[in-house]
Amino acid sequence: MTSIDPLPSSTSFRLGTLGALVTARFTDRIEAFGLKPKDVGLLTLLRAGGPLSQLEAARAMGVAPSLVVTVADRLEALGAVRRLRDPGDRRRQQLTLTDQGGALLDRCAATAHDLDAEFTAGLSEPERTALNTALGRLAADHGLPA
Amino acid sequence: MTSIDPLPSSTSFRLGTLGALVTARFTDRIEAFGLKPKDVGLLTLLRAGGPLSQLEAARAMGVAPSLVVTVADRLEALGAVRRLRDPGDRRRQQLTLTDQGGALLDRCAATAHDLDAEFTAGLSEPERTALNTALGRLAADHGLPA
DNA sequence: TATTGTTATACTCTATAACTATA
DNA sequence: TATAGTTATAGAGTATAACAATA
């Protein structure tokens, strides 16, 4: 008789459940900075892709433009981004990462790497490297930030 | 000068973003079976851990007991689980996986493995294996289904 | 009085739709 | 008339609180 490969041993199931777990922990920690996960996504995008209009940001993040308003409001209140009205087309708001926003993103990166160490403590060093390399390739293949 | 390791190269960031992406795709596909992700979680738990009371299920899943009511209602309507009042303690509802529920879970597993193949198409076979092995170890370390 | 399940309610996240200003 | 941003509203998912039945 043939036995079916069980769900919990699939890469999809494991990625989904571990991703939710690690996101929950990361969310808890960045709360200390006044940030939510989507805020970090926008900061990451701005560092990688220079100034962007809100609509461009929404498209790159795969979210509704109205959500970018909320996220940009919060980041602006923290001094992490600046909104500059485009003089050539006054409908557009150019979002720019401030120095303070860059420093905040650095603190998020440090937090993530701390979390990496704790979360993967049970892996050997080669396993950790192989894991991160494979995840990096998948991220690139699926259009996620490098 | 020292440069900070960027956020998108962290394992935590990659696990979080890839996990969200793969979960969204999986969610789309199991909708054809009338299932939501948490339903699949409960079915998985019941197959692995035999009959459970709703409270036990809530604890194992890390969700509120009231959510188990909703999930069990939907699964019962699909014929995937049975609720049996415990004769020894009539407050308890024992949740049991039916044959039909087992078949449904098998279809979810097949769906997940199809998704695995598509999602990791850009990896070499050794990379795919190393990835799944490392994820399996992390899942075990963090108390997720085997 | 404590516990299991259920129902009522509220909160978070995010999308869609309506609206304003500019083109 | 079309587009960028904003505001208003709605839906999904999940938690907390109130309640009913049983212990």
Side-chain angles (χ1 to χ4, degrees), chain A residues 79-99:
Chain A
V81 304
R82 247 190 305 273
R83 275 182 167 110
L84 288 174
R85 195 59 78 171
D86 182 337
D89 181 347
R90 295 185 36 69
R91 292 172 304 180
R92 291 177 160 251
Q93 301 267 38
Q94 292 286 350
L95 298 175
T96 319
L97 189 66
T98 65
D99 289 349

Side-chain angles (χ1 to χ4, degrees), chain B residues 56-145:
Chain B
E56 288 166 339
R59 283 174 182 148
M61 294 173 72
V63 300
S66 58
L67 180 56
V68 175
V69 175
T70 308
V71 171
D73 281 351
R74 186 166 41 234
L75 290 175
E76 196 177 32
L78 289 170
V81 304
R82 248 191 305 274
R83 274 180 166 112
L84 287 174
R85 195 58 79 169
D86 181 336
D89 181 346
R90 296 185 36 71
R91 290 172 305 182
R92 292 177 159 248
Q93 300 267 40
Q94 293 286 350
L95 297 175
T96 320
L97 189 67
T98 64
D99 289 349
Q100 216 174 332
L104 202 53
L105 187 50
D106 288 343
R107 284 202 276 168
C108 291
T111 298
H113 287 284
D114 288 351
L115 185 54
D116 283 6
E118 296 168 31
F119 199 74
T120 66
L123 300 185
S124 68
E125 187 53 35
E127 272 179 322
R128 239 192 310 275
T129 301
L131 171 63
N132 199 48
T133 300
L135 293 176
R137 169 132 346 152
L138 288 181
D141 286 353
H142 293 91
L144 297 175

Side-chain angles (χ1 to χ4, degrees), chain A residues 4-19 21-23 25-26 40 44 105-106 108-110 112-113 115-116 118-120 122-124 127-128 130-139 141-142 144-146, chain B residues 4-19 21-23 25-26 40 44 105-106 108-110 112-113 115-116 118-120 122-124 127-128 130-139 141-142 144-146:
Chain A
I4 290 165
D5 201 6
L7 178 61
S9 68
S10 72
T11 298
S12 297
F13 186 89
R14 287 172 173 170
L15 269 180
T17 51
L18 288 166
L21 186 56
V22 82
T23 296
R25 295 203 189 165
F26 185 68
V40 179
T44 298
L105 186 51
D106 288 343
C108 291
H113 287 283
L115 185 54
D116 283 5
E118 297 169 30
F119 200 74
T120 66
L123 301 185
S124 69
E127 272 180 321
R128 239 192 309 275
L131 171 63
N132 199 47
T133 300
L135 292 176
R137 168 128 353 149
L138 288 181
D141 287 351
H142 292 91
L144 297 175
Chain B
I4 289 165
D5 200 7
L7 178 60
S9 68
S10 71
T11 298
S12 296
F13 185 89
R14 287 172 173 170
L15 270 181
T17 52
L18 289 166
L21 185 56
V22 81
T23 295
R25 296 204 190 164
F26 185 68
V40 178
T44 297
L105 187 50
D106 288 343
C108 291
H113 287 284
L115 185 54
D116 283 6
E118 296 168 31
F119 199 74
T120 66
L123 300 185
S124 68
E127 272 179 322
R128 239 192 310 275
L131 171 63
N132 199 48
T133 300
L135 293 176
R137 169 132 346 152
L138 288 181
D141 286 353
H142 293 91
L144 297 175

